[in-house]
Amino acid sequence: MSIRIAESAGFCFGVSRAVETVEQAAGQGKQVVTLGPIIHNRHVVQKFDSMGVQVIDKPEDAAPGMTVIIRSHGVSRDVYRRLEARGVEIIDATCPFVKRIHSIVGKADAAGQLPIIMGTRSHPEVEGIAGWCSRCEIFESAEELENWVKAGKISTDTPICMVSQTTSTEISWKKSVQIAKKVFTNVKIFDTICKATESRQKEAAQLSASSEAMIVVGDAKSSNTGRLAMICREKCANVVLVDNASELDPGQFKGVAKVGITAGASTPAWIIKEVNKTMSEIINADAVQEESFEALLEQSIKTLNTGDKVMGIVTSIGNTEIQVDLGTKHAGYIPYDEVSADPSVKPEDILHLGDEIEVFVVRVNDQEGTVQLSKKKLDGMKIWDDMATYAEDKTTVEGVITEENKGGLVATVKGIRVFIPASQSGVAKGGDMAAMLGKAVQLKVTEVNRARRRVIGSIRAVNSEVRKAAQEQLWAEIEVGKKYTGTIKSLTSYGAFVDIGGVDGMVHVSELSWNRIKTPAEVVKVGDEIEVYVISFDAEKRKISLGYKTAEMNPWNQFMTAYNVGDVITAKVVKLMTFGAFAEIMPGVDGLIHISQIADHRIAKPEDALTEGQEVQVKITDVDAENKRISLSIRALLEPVAEETAEEAVEEAAEETSEDTAE
């Protein structure tokens, strides 16, 4: 019998994110509760219950000061508001893909469209989606939608917005889309089935088609698990839905040669592994039952060989060795120096009387009836087994960077040296790899060669997964006007590309500055962190248009905030015209000094009194906000002096007249 496990089995991104959210909150010592079960799996809920995380049924059950976590299915707008009114800390663990549906139906409702939702009416995800619009209709299958049409439940010219529960089947959704496109004259369709769900369902269909029996692992209450079972039954006659390994019945797999295993999005990895292990044991048990009496007898008296891995029971702990009962005629023993590779570990600290342990056969002495054993060697072999498993399962592991060389880096993972080529180090070409020394890193084991005792790993592969997850979350939550902190990745003649969390958007050169610039390099440089906002986006083409300049950055707005009519300022003459001179008050804002306001006497042309680049004291005499025009005057600052001089001239003339008369 062969057993195959679907690669997509188990937690999806949204469920994994929700579970991690609860674990982090619980680890901070908060009084944590979840509004409804965090996911549809009783084992996970029981685990959190043991950690002190309780489940409440409604917002009113939450007491002030509690931390309430909204589950991955999401809640309605009303439930959210009721929680806010309770004075609690709210942590929203709603799946980003479900959040996107909330946004879609909310906007459609506001625009006068009727949201219609494909999904199970009683499912919490569907109830939550319906709670983000004032009205909606829910249908559970393409057949029900077709019956609506025949009964005239919805007018064909009604503006429609159609979405789906994230875990709906792709087949039913496509049928519904065809019906909607054919019937409704004004319909917008959003494919909101989670891609992870779609992939899981496709793989389940393929695996069940080539298997004689299928095991679907998950909570029977989970809609996602139920649909997987339904899909498998379409391809395979023998489909078993189990909550955990204890529900497996060996009798259901008699005569079966090929077994497939898949699991719903809410099924933890450890339950899937238990099911796989139990199925392997069932296979072995069947094999033993088929063995002849002679074979069993031969097995019981067989001689142990060097290199064998055997199970035994610790029967004695002496001063120099551990005695082990192997269930054979031989007396097994483990020298102290073969117990652990760590010299600081005492054998009695890790081994106790009655312990069942697996050991490696180092030497067999049939004459004396003794077997020298080693736990240390077997542990070392198991680590290599683990490395092979990590490579096969593409598991992310943690290591510490211990060396740097010309070819890359070396990390230590469970005592094994893992070589990481420079191209897989996650450090940019030409970057300082030495800065990685001593750091704990996440990596994937990509190649294992036991014969050469060589392991190769990749940090880049993990970074790529993290980046991909960040991209999916960003596309699920993006909306026009949303702000991001991004990093300038590259510059072109027409704009700047900005990384806003795993996704690059472009800021056009016209959106970089309120002033006229020739190149983006006049404003930003590669590596700069800047605040940007979404102007528009195309999810299908994966394009995002970003803005950088804001109303607060507008020079005119800055001028209006900082200056008033009557203020005296220093301005720089930037251009001379026949009718006057333009002076820069601040970058991007110029004012006009009319020729009549340049001097306290008539001049033929501005050049007679001013030169370009000259800084002058001016008075703001008028501001035309509507047309964005500013009038400046030098003369307004000179006229008081001129008037005083005229008065002095009159007085002098009067004195001269008096003197002439006296003579």
Side-chain angles (χ1 to χ4, degrees):
M1 183 188 291
S2 65
I3 302 173
R4 290 178 298 164
I5 302 177
E7 290 184 10
S8 58
F11 281 179
C12 66
F13 166 72
V15 169
S16 179
R17 175 175 173 269
V19 170
E20 288 175 5
T21 299
V22 177
E23 289 175 341
Q24 290 172 3
Q28 294 171 1
K30 299 178 179 179
Q31 187 181 358
V32 179
V33 298
T34 64
L35 184 57
I38 191 67
I39 60 172
H40 275 157
N41 189 280
R42 64 184 180 88
H43 302 285
V44 175
V45 175
Q46 288 169 1
K47 173 190 171 184
F48 286 145
D49 182 61
S50 68
M51 295 169 63
V53 179
Q54 298 179 338
V55 178
I56 60 174
D57 297 322
K58 56 185 184 298
E60 288 69 30
D61 293 336
M66 282 184 174
T67 296
V68 181
I69 299 180
I70 295 174
R71 57 184 171 175
S72 55
H73 299 111
V75 296
S76 67
R77 185 187 282 118
D78 175 64
V79 169
Y80 208 100
R81 288 171 178 168
R82 284 157 58 196
L83 275 176
E84 290 177 325
R86 298 295 297 171
V88 298
E89 178 190 7
I90 301 172
I91 299 179
D92 193 350
T94 304
C95 171
F97 298 104
V98 177
K99 272 280 194 184
R100 175 172 174 256
I101 306 176
H102 293 174
S103 176
I104 290 171
V105 298
K107 289 178 180 177
D109 185 41
Q113 299 167 355
L114 173 65
I116 60 173
I117 307 162
M118 185 177 88
T120 305
R121 289 180 178 83
S122 59
H123 194 281
E125 179 186 321
V126 175
E127 291 175 347
I129 294 169
W132 285 88
C133 45
S134 61
R135 58 180 188 136
C136 68
E137 295 290 347
I138 302 169
F139 65 97
E140 298 194 353
S141 64
E143 290 72 25
E144 184 177 355
L145 178 61
E146 198 165 29
N147 290 335
W148 280 8
V149 173
K150 292 177 181 177
K153 183 173 182 178
I154 302 175
S155 174
T156 56
D157 59 356
T158 301
I160 298 293
C161 167
M162 191 163 99
V163 298
S164 169
Q165 180 180 342
T166 56
T167 54
S168 295
T169 61
E170 185 184 8
I171 294 174
S172 185
W173 171 250
K174 286 184 176 179
K175 287 180 181 178
S176 301
V177 168
Q178 290 175 350
I179 294 169
K181 285 182 176 180
K182 188 184 298 184
V183 173
F184 299 112
T185 58
N186 186 0
V187 59
K188 288 187 177 180
I189 298 171
F190 295 87
D191 185 356
T192 53
I193 294 178
C194 174
K195 296 304 176 186
T197 299
E198 184 180 324
S199 174
R200 184 181 288 104
Q201 291 175 353
K202 283 183 178 178
E203 192 178 7
Q206 293 169 355
L207 187 57
S208 59
S210 59
S211 300
E212 295 175 17
M214 276 295 295
I215 301 172
V216 181
V217 189
D219 196 310
K221 296 178 182 178
S222 168
S223 173
N224 180 281
T225 303
R227 285 195 175 89
L228 277 180
M230 180 183 71
I231 290 169
C232 291
R233 288 188 180 106
E234 292 175 357
K235 305 286 184 178
C236 180
N238 188 1
V239 177
V240 180
L241 175 58
V242 297
D243 177 69
N244 57 69
S246 66
E247 295 183 359
L248 289 169
D249 179 5
Q252 293 178 295
F253 305 99
K254 288 288 185 181
V256 174
K258 294 180 180 179
V259 176
I261 300 176
T262 186
S266 300
T267 306
W270 61 269
I271 291 182
I272 301 171
K273 288 181 179 178
E274 279 189 355
V275 169
N276 182 36
K277 181 181 177 182
T278 301
M279 279 304 303
S280 299
E281 291 171 352
I282 289 173
I283 294 171
N284 291 336
D286 288 345
V288 169
Q289 289 171 10
E290 292 171 2
E291 289 178 350
S292 65
F293 173 76
E294 290 79 5
L296 291 173
L297 180 62
E298 182 182 347
Q299 186 180 37
S300 68
I301 62 174
K302 71 177 183 179
T303 302
L304 294 173
N305 298 306
T306 300
D308 286 350
K309 289 185 286 185
V310 294
M311 296 298 296
I313 303 292
V314 175
T315 57
S316 174
I317 300 178
N319 295 326
T320 60
E321 63 186 28
I322 309 291
Q323 297 292 328
V324 181
D325 180 5
L326 301 175
T328 67
K329 62 182 181 179
H330 300 87
Y333 68 95
I334 309 172
Y336 267 18
D337 59 0
E338 289 296 326
V339 172
S340 173
D342 186 348
S344 66
V345 171
K346 295 180 179 179
E348 61 267 27
D349 291 338
I350 59 174
L351 294 177
H352 307 90
L353 293 177
D355 283 355
E356 183 179 23
I357 59 172
E358 188 175 19
V359 287
F360 179 82
V361 177
V362 177
R363 186 180 300 108
V364 180
N365 189 328
D366 287 322
Q367 290 182 346
E368 296 182 6
T370 61
V371 180
Q372 182 182 334
L373 307 169
S374 174
K375 183 178 180 298
K376 180 174 70 175
K377 281 187 173 61
L378 187 61
D379 289 343
M381 293 170 63
K382 283 185 175 180
I383 291 175
W384 281 94
D385 289 340
D386 289 343
M387 290 296 163
T389 301
Y390 295 154
E392 184 179 349
D393 296 346
K394 300 177 181 178
T395 306
T396 298
V397 297
E398 185 172 292
V400 177
I401 302 299
T402 55
E403 299 176 36
E404 181 223 351
N405 54 45
K406 291 182 180 180
L409 299 168
V410 174
T412 299
V413 178
K414 289 190 173 183
I416 300 292
R417 295 175 79 254
V418 179
F419 175 65
I420 304 167
S423 62
Q424 299 299 314
S425 67
V427 179
K429 191 174 182 180
D432 182 14
M433 286 199 296
M436 298 284 287
L437 289 174
K439 289 187 176 180
V441 296
Q442 300 288 312
L443 58 93
K444 286 187 180 295
V445 176
T446 57
E447 183 182 329
V448 177
N449 188 323
R450 290 198 190 209
R452 297 178 60 188
R453 300 186 70 79
R454 177 181 173 86
V455 181
I456 298 176
S458 171
I459 297 173
R460 182 181 174 184
V462 177
N463 294 343
S464 178
E465 280 189 359
V466 172
R467 184 179 176 86
K468 186 176 180 181
Q471 288 174 344
E472 293 299 331
Q473 183 168 353
L474 185 142
W475 282 111
E477 298 176 347
I478 194 170
E479 56 186 28
V480 172
K482 190 165 185 177
K483 295 181 180 179
Y484 294 92
T485 298
T487 303
I488 303 293
K489 296 296 292 295
S490 62
L491 302 177
T492 67
S493 60
Y494 51 84
F497 285 92
V498 184
D499 182 347
I500 56 173
V503 177
D504 288 351
M506 194 196 76
V507 183
H508 192 268
V509 67
S510 63
E511 290 295 332
L512 279 170
S513 174
W514 287 96
N515 300 325
R516 186 171 297 174
I517 58 174
K518 293 182 179 179
T519 65
E522 295 178 39
V523 181
V524 293
K525 64 181 183 297
V526 173
D528 281 354
E529 275 199 359
I530 62 172
E531 294 289 330
V532 293
Y533 59 93
V534 178
I535 295 176
S536 63
F537 65 91
D538 187 329
E540 289 186 5
K541 295 181 179 179
R542 287 298 200 253
K543 290 184 178 180
I544 304 174
S545 177
L546 301 171
Y548 174 57
K549 65 181 186 182
T550 63
E552 292 78 14
M553 296 166 61
N554 188 337
W556 178 261
N557 292 344
Q558 293 178 3
F559 167 80
M560 293 296 288
T561 302
Y563 298 101
N564 297 297
V565 173
D567 287 352
V568 176
I569 59 174
T570 300
K572 181 180 178 180
V573 177
V574 292
K575 194 168 186 180
L576 298 174
M577 309 292 289
T578 56
F579 52 83
F582 285 100
E584 183 184 68
I585 300 169
M586 58 190 296
V589 180
D590 296 344
L592 173 65
I593 311 172
H594 192 269
I595 191 170
S596 64
Q597 298 298 314
I598 291 177
D600 58 354
H601 56 279
R602 186 183 297 275
I603 59 174
K605 53 186 180 299
E607 290 91 329
D608 293 342
L610 300 173
T611 58
E612 289 188 4
Q614 179 182 352
E615 289 190 347
V616 293
Q617 288 282 307
V618 294
K619 184 176 184 179
I620 301 174
T621 57
D622 185 49
V623 176
D624 182 349
E626 185 176 348
N627 296 306
K628 295 183 180 178
R629 292 177 181 173
I630 305 168
S631 296
L632 305 173
S633 174
I634 298 174
R635 179 180 173 183
L637 302 177
L638 299 175
E639 282 179 343
V641 177
E643 290 173 4
E644 182 179 347
T645 304
E647 291 174 1
E648 290 175 354
V650 170
E651 291 176 0
E652 289 176 2
E655 290 175 0
E656 290 176 0
T657 302
S658 299
E659 290 174 358
D660 290 342
T661 304
E663 291 177 356

